[in-house]
Amino acid sequence: IARFRENTPAAQCGPTHERANGNGALMRVLPLALWHEGSDEELVALAMRQSLVTHGHLRSQLCCALYCLWARGELAGEPDPRERARTQLRAMAQPHADWLYELDAYIDPVEPPTPGGTGYVVDCLHSAHFACAGSTYAEIVHRAIRLGHDSDTTACVAGGIAGLRHGVDGIPDRWRQEMAGREEARSLIEGLVAARG
């Protein structure tokens, strides 16, 4: 915010050093996957661009792109949407040595890291995938929360995928009724749906 106030362009405000790979950009990117109707390549470019505002490192950008492709696969009813997203992103990464390095070394290694529920963007993405092994919306969210640490964000990222799988009716009624800011959320959702047409 301070950099933006100093007239730094928004796309240059996010820190680019390696230790600036928190999960904030990942947590907020899901509406893009819901709204965007263009190609997968365009979706990836936009997912990466939205990360730049707060998280400028390539690792964060690629995690946002992978999550959006995963979400798009969920919406399309793909049998294994996360695996398809991984394959798609790797194909898009072929001309980019830096993308491939990040994927191989950190985001999508041969041996995935043990999920820990931390605020690190890569761990958040893997933790959400772990949580999504649950069979209901509530089970997915509970699996994310039980990991501890940055449980609110892990549950947000996993819950986004769970919502795509199970729909609004899959969310326990009590959770929906007791949600703080429910009317504001409804207004935002209706605006997003209207903008999409």
Side-chain angles (χ1 to χ4, degrees):
I1 292 172
R3 296 186 72 190
F4 188 72
R5 285 181 177 157
E6 293 166 359
N7 297 318
T8 302
Q12 296 173 20
C13 286
T16 58
H17 55 88
E18 189 173 17
R19 295 201 53 86
N21 277 305
N23 55 20
L26 181 66
M27 177 179 66
R28 69 168 181 258
V29 74
L30 182 62
L32 176 61
L34 303 177
W35 170 81
H36 190 265
E37 295 179 319
S39 69
D40 290 340
E41 290 78 11
E42 291 169 338
L43 178 60
V44 163
L46 289 171
M48 293 174 72
R49 185 171 181 194
Q50 73 79 38
S51 179
L52 296 173
V53 177
T54 56
H55 297 79
H57 195 276
L58 181 59
R59 194 171 308 158
S60 179
Q61 295 176 54
L62 289 169
C63 284
C64 291
L66 182 58
Y67 184 59
C68 281
L69 289 172
W70 177 14
R72 178 170 273 185
E74 293 282 350
L75 284 169
E78 294 286 340
D80 191 345
R82 185 171 178 276
E83 182 59 32
R84 182 173 181 272
R86 290 175 63 233
T87 301
Q88 287 177 288
L89 190 57
R90 281 199 168 275
M92 291 180 209
Q94 292 309 308
H96 308 282
D98 53 345
W99 291 27
L100 289 171
Y101 173 76
E102 287 293 332
L103 289 171
D104 290 338
Y106 299 102
I107 300 168
D108 191 29
V110 174
E111 291 294 326
T114 302
T118 69
Y120 174 44
V121 67
V122 174
D123 181 51
C124 185
L125 193 59
H126 285 286
S127 296
H129 180 246
F130 165 82
C132 284
S135 59
T136 66
Y137 183 94
E139 185 182 355
I140 289 170
V141 171
H142 284 141
R143 283 172 63 93
I145 292 169
R146 280 195 297 270
L147 288 170
H149 304 287
D150 196 11
S151 58
D152 59 335
T153 305
T154 307
C156 173
V157 174
I161 296 295
L164 297 176
R165 281 186 194 166
H166 300 288
V168 173
D169 292 337
I171 303 171
D173 187 60
R174 182 173 59 87
W175 291 10
R176 285 185 280 139
Q177 295 305 317
E178 295 178 10
M179 185 179 86
R182 185 175 47 160
E183 292 309 314
E184 292 88 347
R186 184 189 316 273
S187 175
L188 289 170
I189 291 167
E190 288 171 356
L192 181 63
V193 170
R196 184 172 181 185

